[in-house]
Amino acid sequence: MKNAALLLLPAFVLVCSPAYAYIGPGAGAGAITVVLGIIASVFMAFFAILWYPIKRMLKKRKPAQLETNEAKSEAVTGSGNS
C-alpha cells in the first residue's frame, strides 16, 4: 500500500493544475482581522473567567486583613485610648 502511494505521488504532483485563485488585499486583510479577533476574544474570555473571581476573592480578603492588623496594633498599644 505504501509503495503504491509513493509511486503515485509524483504523478499526482505533475498532473495537478493551478487553482487560478486570487485573494485581494481587502479580503486578505479582512480574513487576517477576523482570525486575530477570534483569537483575542478567546484570550479575553479566559482572562474574564479567571480574573474576576480572583479579584473578588482579593477584595474580600483585604478587609479581613485590615481588621486583623487593627486588632494587632490595639493589642500592642494597650486599650487603644492612650
Side-chain angles (χ1 to χ4, degrees), residues 52-71:
Y52 289 115
I54 292 171
K55 184 177 163 183
R56 191 177 316 136
M57 182 184 67
L58 291 175
K59 278 187 179 181
K60 286 181 182 179
R61 202 168 133 188
K62 267 190 179 178
Q65 285 180 350
L66 290 176
E67 290 173 5
T68 57
N69 288 342
E70 289 174 2

Side-chain angles (χ1 to χ4, degrees), residues 27-39:
I32 290 170
T33 304
V34 167
V35 169
L36 292 177
I38 291 170
I39 292 170

Side-chain angles (χ1 to χ4, degrees), residues 39-53:
I39 292 170
S41 66
V42 168
F43 280 121
M44 286 189 287
F46 280 126
F47 179 75
I49 289 170
L50 295 175
W51 173 246
Y52 289 115

Side-chain angles (χ1 to χ4, degrees), residues 6-18:
L6 289 175
L7 289 175
L8 291 176
L9 182 64
F12 286 135
V13 171
L14 294 174
V15 174
C16 69
S17 62

